[in-house]
Amino acid sequence: MTFTHDQAGTPATAWRADPRWAALLDGTGRPADDPLAEVDRVVVLAAHPDDETLGAGGLLATAHARGLTVSVVVATLGEASHPRSPTHTPAQLAERRARESHAAVATLAPGCVPLLLGLPDGGVADHEDTVTTAVVDVVGDGRRTLVVAPWRRDGHPDHEAVGRAGAAAAVRCGADLREYAVWFWHWASPVDAPWHRFTALPLGPAAVAAKAAAVRAHRTQVESLSDRPGDEVLLGPDLLAHAAGNVEVLVREPATDPALDRVHAETDDPWGVDRRWYEQRKRDLLLALLPHRRYGAALEVGCSTGATTLALAARCDLLTALDPSPHALALARTRLDADPAGARVRLLPGAVPDDQPPGPWDLVVVSEVGYFLSPAALDGLVARVVADLAPGGVVALAHWRHPVEGWPLDGADVHAAFTGVLPVAASYRDRDVEVLVLGHDVLPDPHD
């Protein structure tokens, strides 16, 4: 979508005259879906200083008034807002807009200091992973946390990039997600709106007043920089009317994180499982620590391209391998079809714990995948594995021991979650990898 600040857009009155706008609220004036009802913390993301105020300023003020912990992450300093300004360089604009961001956020949620990432204004899409990592670091364990990000269909490339980063972070941390529009209200019309995805948050008088004051704090946008051409007002009355009023509309979109599927789409061997000595040695260590020569029913969580899958298949009667990446499963299928042992493998699409097939399992393998789960998903995986483990069954873990950037967990976290409920039967650790075998009454089979 291409648009400019000064082109004629859909007026706010057209949106609010649509009967579906009124239908967003029920008869008591309370929201049908209060996004703040079940959370303790709110993390609001913005592409530029002022986005958080325009799209979610009332939510920020309401969350603060309810006693929730509030954080704000802003991707850029908005230095490209006036590219033809004769009075301000981009650096000067960035400095002013940073001050405005601090002032506006302090008005909405006193005590909250925004995290300003300083990424290039207009180029956030090239730094999407940086935004995701920053948000993951802020959120951590996302249970009872609401991430509020620009809508991925807002029509501005920076907004949509931050929206994608927010959605990915919500998946990785296990947080709830809502999105807000800024420019959609301007360039779109009611006929374009996915009304079934909209949720209205009523704003009390204090939140309305705080939002209005925060909008005024963004002086470089709501006032002209000077009376010279190139210094015009960017957010005029027509645009600001969309942000005014006693209701904010949020969008419910499914949180998605395509990162792991994307790496498998880009290369046939994203982790170097067929060429790196670390990967080959780790597989050999894992296989050597398994106490039995053969297993009946086994489950591999996160099979990737199937290198470990094929090695395990040689020791299993039936191995079920699960992975959420369609590209990974396709690569694994190609590998398995080329070997007779592959006939004993059942590949399934899906993510744990929601898509985890039922046991009982004589062997469960979780290798180099646990830290790609949210903390809540990891807890769910552990609970399901323990419940579905056959008598005398074992769980084999193998994970990289160094920090994992962009996700809230690392290998030590994964292993601690399992060792908290299952005893360790065998272990190996060096500088790079730790391999554990866990289970009750795990003994080598005397008949092997």
Side-chain angles (χ1 to χ4, degrees):
M1 178 60 57
T2 301
F3 61 90
T4 63
H5 296 76
D6 55 357
Q7 75 183 63
T10 303
T13 52
W15 285 99
R16 291 165 192 176
D18 192 290
R20 289 167 292 188
W21 185 277
L24 291 174
L25 292 178
D26 64 21
T28 65
R30 297 296 299 168
D33 177 21
D34 183 350
L36 303 176
E38 302 294 333
V39 302
D40 300 322
R41 185 170 50 145
V42 176
V43 180
V44 175
L45 315 184
H48 316 96
D50 75 16
D51 293 336
E52 79 294 325
T53 301
L54 298 172
L59 178 143
L60 276 167
T62 302
H64 176 76
R66 293 189 189 181
L68 307 182
T69 300
V70 174
S71 300
V72 175
V73 180
V74 184
T76 79
L77 298 179
E79 69 276 6
S81 66
H82 291 75
R84 293 178 296 278
S85 172
T87 61
H88 286 66
T89 65
Q92 290 171 326
L93 273 170
E95 183 179 356
R96 286 193 63 180
R97 297 200 70 184
R99 291 198 303 268
E100 293 169 356
S101 179
H102 280 267
V105 171
T107 299
L108 296 166
C112 176
V113 177
L115 173 61
L116 308 179
L117 302 182
L119 298 173
D121 187 1
V124 179
D126 294 331
H127 302 271
E128 208 168 298
D129 289 343
T130 300
V131 180
T132 302
T133 297
V135 178
V136 167
D137 289 344
V138 170
V139 175
D141 188 335
R143 283 174 280 204
R144 295 192 62 82
T145 299
L146 176 67
V147 172
V148 184
W151 193 19
R152 284 167 280 172
R153 291 174 51 188
D154 200 38
H156 190 296
D158 282 352
H159 291 205
E160 295 183 357
V162 173
R164 291 190 296 269
V171 171
R172 297 179 191 186
C173 297
D176 196 6
L177 176 70
R178 293 292 188 275
E179 300 180 6
Y180 63 85
V182 174
W183 289 108
F184 175 82
W185 307 118
H186 174 66
W187 62 259
S189 64
V191 71
D192 303 310
W195 291 94
H196 64 290
R197 295 192 180 276
F198 288 173
T199 297
L201 177 68
L203 307 178
V208 172
K211 182 174 181 177
V215 168
R216 292 193 296 271
H218 293 286
R219 294 183 59 185
T220 59
Q221 309 303 295
V222 301
E223 300 176 7
S224 58
L225 299 178
S226 77
D227 58 1
R228 299 171 62 181
D231 278 351
E232 295 85 0
V233 173
L234 288 186
L235 302 178
D238 291 344
L239 290 171
L240 292 179
H242 293 290
N246 60 359
V247 170
E248 277 182 347
V249 174
L250 301 176
V251 190
R252 291 171 296 191
E253 294 279 9
T256 57
D257 180 15
L260 296 179
D261 189 49
R262 185 171 60 242
V263 299
H264 285 97
E266 291 171 350
T267 176
D268 289 350
D269 190 10
W271 314 119
V273 297
D274 295 318
R275 54 181 173 78
R276 293 176 59 208
W277 173 237
Y278 165 81
E279 293 288 345
Q280 297 174 38
R281 189 171 67 92
K282 176 196 66 185
R283 283 197 299 276
D284 291 342
L285 287 166
L286 186 151
L287 293 166
L289 283 178
L290 295 179
H292 296 172
R293 184 191 304 272
R294 193 156 194 86
Y295 293 89
L299 172 68
E300 183 188 14
V301 176
C303 65
S304 186
T305 64
T308 301
T309 312
L310 187 58
L312 290 169
R315 294 175 61 176
C316 299
D317 294 337
L318 177 62
L319 172 63
T320 298
L322 184 73
D323 201 285
S325 165
H327 287 97
L329 289 173
L331 293 168
R333 184 76 273 164
T334 298
R335 184 193 301 271
L336 295 170
D337 285 346
D339 192 288
R344 294 193 293 273
V345 178
R346 176 178 62 154
L347 291 176
L348 294 179
V352 294
D354 293 344
D355 303 316
Q356 195 167 327
W361 306 111
D362 302 305
L363 170 66
V364 176
V365 176
V366 182
S367 176
E368 304 284 23
V369 69
Y371 36 58
F372 295 138
L373 303 175
S374 71
L378 175 61
D379 286 351
L381 168 65
V382 172
R384 285 288 307 276
V385 166
V386 171
D388 289 347
L389 202 60
V394 299
V395 178
L397 310 174
H399 287 87
W400 176 250
R401 295 191 63 221
H402 300 284
V404 180
E405 187 176 88
W407 276 265
L409 300 174
D410 58 21
D413 297 321
V414 176
H415 291 188
F418 277 94
T419 57
V421 294
L422 288 173
V424 177
S427 65
Y428 173 86
R429 177 191 292 178
D430 61 28
R431 181 194 66 181
D432 294 329
V433 69
E434 181 175 54
V435 183
L436 299 178
V437 173
L438 306 97
H440 298 287
D441 303 321
V442 178
L443 296 172
D445 188 338
H447 301 293
D448 283 348

